[in-house]
Amino acid sequence: MVAAVNPVVGSHVWVEDPEVSWIDGEVLEANGEEIKVLCTSGKTVVVKASSIYPKDTEVPPCGVDDMTKLAYLHEPGVLDNLRMRYDINEIYTYTGNILIAVNPFTKLPHLYDSHMMAQYKGAAFGELSPHPFAVADAAYRLMVNEGISQSILVSGESGAGKTESTKLLMRYLAYMGGRAAAEGRTVEQKVLESNPVLEAFGNAKTVRNNNSSRFGKFVEIQFDQMGRISGAAIRTYLLERSRVCQVSDPERNYHCFYMLCAAPPEDVKKYKLGKPATFHYLNQSNCFEIEGLDEAKEYVSTRRAMDVVGISSEEQDAIFRVVAAILHLGNIEFAKGKEIDSSMPKDEKSRFHLQTAAELFMCDAKALEDSLCKRVIVTRDETIIKCLDPEAAALSRDALAKIVYSRLFDWLVEKINSSIGQDPDSKSLIGVLDIYGFESFTNNSFEQFCINLTNEKLQQHFNQHVFKMEQEEYKKEEIDWSYIEFVDNQDILDLIEKKPGGIIALLDEACMFPRSTHETFAQKLYQTFKNHKRFSKPKLSRSDFTILHYAGDVTYQTDLFLDKNKDYVVAEHQALLNASKCPFVSGLFPPAPEESSKQSKFSSIGSRFKQQLQSLLETLSATEPHYIRCVKPNNMLKPSIFEHKNVLQQLRCGGVMEAIRISCAGYPTRKTFDEFADRFGLLAPEALDGSPDEITVCKRILEKAGLQGYQIGKTKVFLRAGQMAELDTRRSEILGKSASIIQRKVRSFLARRSFVLLRLSAIQIQAACRGQLARHVYEGMRQEASSVKIQKNFRMHLARNAYRELYASAISIQTGMRGMVARSELRFRRETRAAIVIQSHCRKYLAQHHFMDLKKAAIRTQCAWRGRVARRELRKLKMAARETGALQAAKNKLEKQVEDLSLRLQLEKRLRVDMEEAKTQENERLQSALQEMQLQFKATKVLLEKERVATKMEAERAPVIQEVPVVDNALLERLTSENEKLKTLVSSLEKKIDETEKRFEEANKISEERTKQALEAESKIIQLKTAMQRLEEKFFDVESENQILRQQSLLNSNVKKMSEHLSTTPSDELENGHHVMEEQKAVEAQTLATPVKKFGTESDSKLRRSYIERQHENVEALINCVKKNIGFIHGKPVAAFTIYKCLLHWKSFEAERTSVFDRLIQMIGSAIENQDDNDLMAYWLTNTSTLLFLLQESLKSGGTSDATPVKKPPNPTSLFGRMAMGFRSSPSSASLAVPPLDIVRKVEAKYPALLFKQQLTAYVEKIYGIIRDNLKKELNPFLSLCIQAPRTSKGVLRSGRSFGKDSPMGHWQSIIESLNTLLCTLKENFVPPVLIQKVFTQTFSYINVQLFNSLLLRRDCCTFSNGEYVKAGLAELELWCCQAKEEYAGLSWDELKHIRQAVGFLVIHQKYRISYDEITNDLCPILSVQQLYRICTLYWDANYNTRSVSPDVLSSMRVLMAEDSNNAQTDSFLLDDNSSIPFSVDDLATSLQSKEFSDMKAADELLENPAFQFLNE
């Protein structure tokens, strides 16, 4: 990393800051080496030019996804880029092929769902946004394609998210590799299920993390040759064994100890435990609890996890018994024994813990004590027992505790591996390494020394990989790199682990001498490495030493180095625990080899650590590495807090800065030709004019700049460190000069515009003054004219008022006189009218009184007479009711006649004719009688009317008003008698009419019943005639076969013998159930018809075989015909219609068993084998959908064949016509045997037909899916190109509607051509429009999903210019939808709603002025908050410099996203493609129901075949 070269005033730079590491500012003054900078914090600092770094002001506000794209690759640039991306929840960033993951400390579920995995599947590395899925996919592809095992190294400090990243990697590998065979659970699930167990026994609280892994875990995912997961294994490395015995404050020991102390009371009592503070191995630190962690619950969950991984309850008890024994071992204290240099348990408390430990180990307590306090030394001559002093005994105790815990942990790993299941035959694997990162605390002991050694080793491996990647990049670009040197950290590794003379070797040597102390060890180090550049001694310490690691200086305190490094393998310990009565404990210590079992051997943890580390690196070296560096943004473990110092330290510890340093040693700045030309083209404008290509432009720019040491690759320009800053300085100078010119022109323009405005203002003021004077003169003239008009109108008003007063007085006088005369006339008329009314009411009363008397008398007479007549009629009705028996007999006679009618078919015509004639005569007789009655009634009515008129005339002849009324009694009696006679006549006529109506109704009922019986008889006749026709056809076939067989059998048999076998039933062993049914029907028909000559058993079987063969030949002929493209008639497929008619004629739908459907399904399946031919697929889609429609209209599921109804033919116009049609049908005429039916008719479907319909439905859906998927495959390459606008020489899209191959819109035109081609193909094959609509609707939905997802995953697509390009392409798709019309396009355009709204948002100029409500309600109502936030944060504009939305809008989105993440089940911002079948059979039937098939014609090839003559009907 090289500082800026000669920064100019106004340039932006990075300056070191004690609070935030680096802060940006603007250069105010530049005086040689002294640079004055105004920082963004407001303070001004003066720094040296060598300590500042240039800042790229053109970096997008959301950062770059790959930091190799940064113009300046240095510490502040990397740190700022990570900060910008972290602010917008972009937690992943590439540095070349290294993934940096910043822990968000919040849930981001939308980044890890199945949609996201599907997007990264098969995508090129770096094409989509950075993600662990991309790293896992790259590793998987390399393993499958090249057969090389892969490894993914996940590193970072505690709390950085290593474990979560590991889970994501395994989840994606399980997604790509499929499921494991065992137990139905994926390998990923099995590995994750083991995590709680390993965390309980391998994790502990450290200074920086409450759940820090104190071992390295290498998960091997094993794959077979097909790339499927076949097994897995967990390899553990470098367990921190010394933590069992020594714990620093405020850290804790392993979690399992604290869990066991918080176990249920029965377990605590069983293991004789207490609080953690009572145990020596736990109370060395004052931290016993972790905030927010319930140890009791953790204990239960750990036991549950052990159950899941297959550890039995007995084994669990043994495990925790061993853990409790280790705690009790730690509480054993030693004192001096009776002998010199001997030791013994210090007190009763120690003996209690000794006894308890022995009980838990299930060994002898005395033997345990001897193994701790004594040593057996084996010599050539004898065996010597040596006593140990208290200090040595304590070391022996700790050694026993460490070896037991180490063996226990190894046993757990082996048990978990056996549960997961390994594949010994696996040839390739992907390993995921999760290991602790570089550690540097205030107090660093032996654990940090070992951990940092591990990281130094891994860093060397990492540096080699980075160096290799750099070499591959340079080779790919074909540039010269031989003189570039990369610095390695081998000198540090030699300092630590070199033999002899390394720090570890010196430590082991010191541990072997009993009198060595940490001070003597430190002095040895000082003497040995006093001249080493990586080693130093702190000034104020006598025993500390400092090592200059790649990540920085670390000072180690040697106080406990010797104690923590000692790890004796004591033979007494081995023998003691091997002899344990507990099988589990004895299994942890199998018998040792003979030579090593008799004596104790010294073993150091440092040496063992180095051996395991070497094994790990050998494993990694055999694989292709990939790196993920996890970063913890803050120590508070809270979201949205980015601590610059903390992150920078982790980047250094993670080797990211080391990788940058290696990159800076070569060519840190790499720009593609187009980017370089766009950025620095203004340095040499003449190079852009008429340049043949971008390479020449870049060369001319660099030559003019006079730079040295750069390289021109095949696709990029490679610049040495500092050259980018120099180019930017020159660019800034040119831009400054251009800005001065622009300012001068603008100021001139503003001055000229100001002068023009002043002149216009003066002219307007003059015009206003002149106008004011003219208005004043005009106002005076108006006032004078107004006063004259007012005087005139006032005088006129006074004269008019005087005239109106005189006029009103005259009218009032006239009105009074005329009113008085009118009132006198009115009074006279009222008096006259009143007299007339009185006279009329008096006369009316007298006449009315006389009439009411007459009326009452007439009513009484009528009532009496009607009562008498009614009683007489009642008697008659009672007598008539007794005659009902006769009517019942007549009814029985009619029923008998109906039965005779149904039995005697030939007499039906005569009976029905007679019935109609009788009915007609009876109706005529009744009609004539009714007419006579009506005539009599009318005559009587006329006579009665005449009498009434006469009576009225007589009444009128009498005077109107008589003082004394005189009644003519004779006349009254005569009228009364005539009235009675008329009433009697009317009553008799009414009775006759009622009787006539009743008889007419009865006759109608009888007629209706007979008509109903005739219709029933007619339906029976039609059924019999239909059956007779079928039997005649079968009989005709049998007759032809009979003639041949009769000639062959005349020599051996006679007709009488053949007739004896008439009743032989056909064999049921035919393959085709259709044929069996037909023969059974034929036999039944022969038993009903006239007896015919029949055959013997042998001839009958030959007949059946001949019939079956003929049927098979017919089926084969049909298959051979329709499997070819036989075209369409009137837009309907001939093949489908031909198949339907044949199946209908053969009665295949009604067959219980038939093979014709299987043959048709096989034919369709073989015909569509070539799935790439859309024309063939469209042809068969039309045929299968049409045939399915015909089946849908015809088939109906029902009961048995006996209940199969025959469709009633259309009724003729009259009953006689229907009967005549039935009797005119001749037995020899097949065409007249059955009434004409429709082409599509209902039949009772059996199981084979219904199964065929289901299979046909499946083929329709399959062919539809093939056509749709073929179109998607064809469009997919274009869609990946259509989402990003192609670059032009000026970076601007060409205008116009040119669509050539070189046109920017050429890819969209290719999509349009593909859509048009498929549409033409579907229309030429007459595919139903509903299917065409669904194909294009789903295709447009696929286009919407692909474009929208690519927009969200590729940052370079969220630009203003790219939005314009995609919008122009969408306009072409809209035009295509309009041209295709709604009949075929349907609602396809509506399916693009997501990409349309997203693109519409991109092309808005002033986004920062838009509120969140306007975005969600008006601009993008369909998009979710996550999608809007993604677009807003990814948006950048390099051409027009338009800004994204305001920070307030972004903060509102973050709040809503946080709320939604707690409620919503999925927060994925990606869309999912719907590949379901979007139509049903009913939809298909609805779209085809208007088609008529009456004008269809079968295939010409079959019409010429005699066996298919029925197709001509």
Side-chain angles (χ1 to χ4, degrees), residues 502-522 524-525 561-563 565-566 568 602 604:
I503 294 177
I504 292 180
L506 295 176
L507 180 61
D508 291 346
E509 181 182 345
C511 290
M512 295 176 67
F513 290 101
R515 298 185 181 276
S516 295
T517 63
H518 67 280
E519 293 181 350
T520 58
F521 168 65
K524 184 67 173 177
L525 292 180
F561 262 55
L562 274 66
D563 295 340
N565 186 53
K566 292 177 182 180
Y568 288 96
F602 172 76
S604 71

Side-chain angles (χ1 to χ4, degrees), residues 1068-1120:
D1068 294 334
E1069 298 179 358
L1070 297 178
E1071 295 180 359
N1072 195 333
H1074 170 62
H1075 304 149
V1076 174
M1077 184 182 70
E1078 293 298 332
E1079 293 189 15
Q1080 288 175 353
K1081 289 187 177 181
V1083 172
E1084 292 174 0
Q1086 289 174 1
T1087 59
L1088 294 174
T1090 306
V1092 297
K1093 295 180 180 181
K1094 303 177 183 181
F1095 320 111
T1097 305
E1098 183 179 357
S1099 61
D1100 195 17
S1101 62
K1102 291 182 180 179
L1103 172 62
R1104 288 196 300 271
R1105 286 196 296 270
S1106 175
Y1107 183 73
I1108 293 171
E1109 291 173 359
R1110 188 167 66 253
Q1111 288 295 330
H1112 281 300
E1113 290 175 0
N1114 293 343
V1115 173
E1116 290 300 324
L1118 173 65
I1119 296 296
N1120 293 331

Side-chain angles (χ1 to χ4, degrees), residues 791-905:
Q791 293 175 0
K792 178 186 70 176
N793 288 328
F794 181 72
R795 291 174 184 142
M796 180 183 69
H797 173 70
L798 293 177
R800 183 179 293 138
N801 286 345
Y803 170 74
R804 285 179 177 174
E805 289 178 358
L806 291 174
Y807 181 78
S809 300
I811 289 175
S812 298
I813 295 171
Q814 293 175 358
T815 301
M817 296 298 293
R818 290 168 182 166
M820 184 176 63
V821 173
R823 283 191 292 275
S824 298
E825 181 67 21
L826 177 61
R827 190 183 307 109
F828 173 76
R829 290 183 180 182
R830 284 181 175 176
E831 291 175 354
T832 304
R833 187 182 300 169
I836 295 172
V837 169
I838 291 170
Q839 293 175 0
S840 64
H841 277 78
C842 182
R843 291 167 184 160
K844 171 186 172 184
Y845 171 76
L846 294 175
Q848 186 176 6
H849 186 269
H850 177 69
F851 173 75
M852 292 301 294
D853 292 341
L854 291 176
K855 182 177 178 181
K856 289 179 182 179
I859 289 173
R860 289 193 191 97
T861 305
Q862 291 175 357
C863 290
W865 178 253
R866 287 172 181 166
R868 180 181 177 183
V869 171
R871 284 189 291 274
R872 188 185 305 161
E873 288 299 323
L874 179 62
R875 286 193 296 271
K876 290 181 181 180
L877 289 174
K878 288 181 179 180
M879 294 176 64
R882 299 188 185 97
E883 299 176 358
T884 308
L887 295 176
Q888 185 68 28
K891 177 183 177 183
N892 294 335
K893 184 177 180 180
L894 289 175
E895 290 178 353
K896 187 176 181 180
Q897 290 176 357
V898 172
E899 292 176 358
D900 295 339
L901 179 63
S902 62
L903 295 174
R904 298 192 301 268
L905 298 177

Side-chain angles (χ1 to χ4, degrees), residues 1025-1086:
K1025 296 299 287 182
T1026 304
M1028 187 181 298
Q1029 178 192 3
R1030 296 176 180 173
L1031 293 176
E1032 285 176 354
E1033 292 177 357
K1034 302 300 179 292
F1035 181 72
F1036 178 76
D1037 295 338
V1038 173
E1039 278 283 326
S1040 61
E1041 298 290 340
N1042 191 15
Q1043 294 294 335
I1044 299 172
L1045 296 174
R1046 187 177 298 169
Q1047 293 175 4
Q1048 296 176 355
S1049 61
L1050 279 175
L1051 299 176
N1052 300 324
S1053 61
N1054 51 37
V1055 174
K1056 182 178 180 180
K1057 184 176 180 180
M1058 282 190 285
S1059 63
E1060 292 176 358
H1061 298 281
L1062 174 65
S1063 59
T1064 303
T1065 58
S1067 174
D1068 294 334
E1069 298 179 358
L1070 297 178
E1071 295 180 359
N1072 195 333
H1074 170 62
H1075 304 149
V1076 174
M1077 184 182 70
E1078 293 298 332
E1079 293 189 15
Q1080 288 175 353
K1081 289 187 177 181
V1083 172
E1084 292 174 0
Q1086 289 174 1

Side-chain angles (χ1 to χ4, degrees), residues 1357-1497:
C1357 297
C1358 287
T1359 63
F1360 186 91
S1361 58
N1362 196 65
E1364 291 180 325
Y1365 170 72
V1366 178
K1367 185 176 181 180
L1370 294 178
E1372 296 301 321
L1373 291 180
E1374 183 180 16
L1375 180 62
W1376 181 88
C1377 292
C1378 295
Q1379 293 174 351
K1381 299 180 181 178
E1382 187 175 356
E1383 180 183 5
Y1384 299 112
L1387 302 177
S1388 300
W1389 175 245
D1390 294 338
E1391 295 295 327
L1392 300 175
K1393 50 192 174 185
H1394 287 86
I1395 187 64
R1396 283 163 46 198
Q1397 293 184 8
V1399 169
F1401 176 76
L1402 290 179
V1403 297
I1404 296 176
H1405 284 277
Q1406 297 180 341
K1407 298 180 182 64
Y1408 61 91
R1409 295 186 177 180
I1410 304 175
S1411 65
Y1412 177 74
D1413 292 336
E1414 291 175 340
I1415 295 175
T1416 55
N1417 296 331
D1418 301 332
L1419 299 176
C1420 306
I1422 198 66
L1423 302 186
S1424 66
V1425 181
Q1426 291 79 7
Q1427 293 165 347
L1428 288 172
Y1429 183 78
R1430 181 81 176 179
I1431 294 173
C1432 293
T1433 53
L1434 292 182
Y1435 176 80
W1436 64 286
D1437 186 9
N1439 294 332
Y1440 307 108
N1441 293 324
T1442 57
R1443 291 184 290 169
S1444 185
V1445 296
S1446 63
D1448 293 338
V1449 174
L1450 286 177
S1451 61
S1452 301
M1453 292 183 182
R1454 288 195 198 98
V1455 172
L1456 292 175
M1457 288 171 61
E1459 294 176 356
D1460 293 343
S1461 64
N1462 297 327
N1463 301 326
Q1465 296 180 355
T1466 177
D1467 292 311
S1468 176
F1469 54 72
L1470 299 181
L1471 301 179
D1472 191 15
D1473 183 30
N1474 183 13
S1475 298
S1476 61
I1477 301 300
F1479 61 88
S1480 62
V1481 180
D1482 295 334
D1483 297 334
L1484 192 63
T1486 303
S1487 66
L1488 294 175
Q1489 65 181 355
S1490 61
K1491 290 195 172 183
E1492 296 292 339
F1493 292 87
S1494 58
D1495 56 348
M1496 283 292 294
K1497 179 181 177 184

Side-chain angles (χ1 to χ4, degrees), residues 244-246 253 257 261 271-285 288 322-335 344-358 360-361 368 372-373 390 393-402:
V244 177
C245 303
Q246 288 98 10
N253 212 318
F257 296 113
C261 292
Y271 301 133
K272 299 181 180 180
L273 298 174
K275 294 183 179 180
T278 61
F279 294 100
H280 172 66
Y281 285 164
L282 305 182
N283 60 19
Q284 299 174 35
S285 169
F288 302 106
V322 170
V323 173
I326 293 174
L327 289 177
H328 286 290
L329 275 179
N331 280 11
I332 302 175
E333 299 180 5
F334 297 96
M344 58 181 293
K346 182 178 180 181
D347 49 22
E348 290 300 324
K349 179 180 178 183
S350 298
R351 289 194 176 277
F352 167 76
H353 289 291
L354 176 66
Q355 182 66 31
T356 304
L360 294 174
F361 281 135
L368 176 60
L372 296 178
C373 299
L395 292 177
S396 177
R397 175 201 65 193
D398 293 344
L400 177 60
K402 287 187 284 187

Side-chain angles (χ1 to χ4, degrees), residues 220-241:
E220 294 180 358
I221 309 294
Q222 299 160 349
F223 296 83
D224 57 19
Q225 295 180 353
M226 302 300 293
R228 310 289 292 181
I229 293 178
S230 58
I234 298 177
R235 316 292 183 200
T236 58
Y237 297 92
L238 315 175
L239 177 68
E240 191 180 324
R241 299 167 64 180

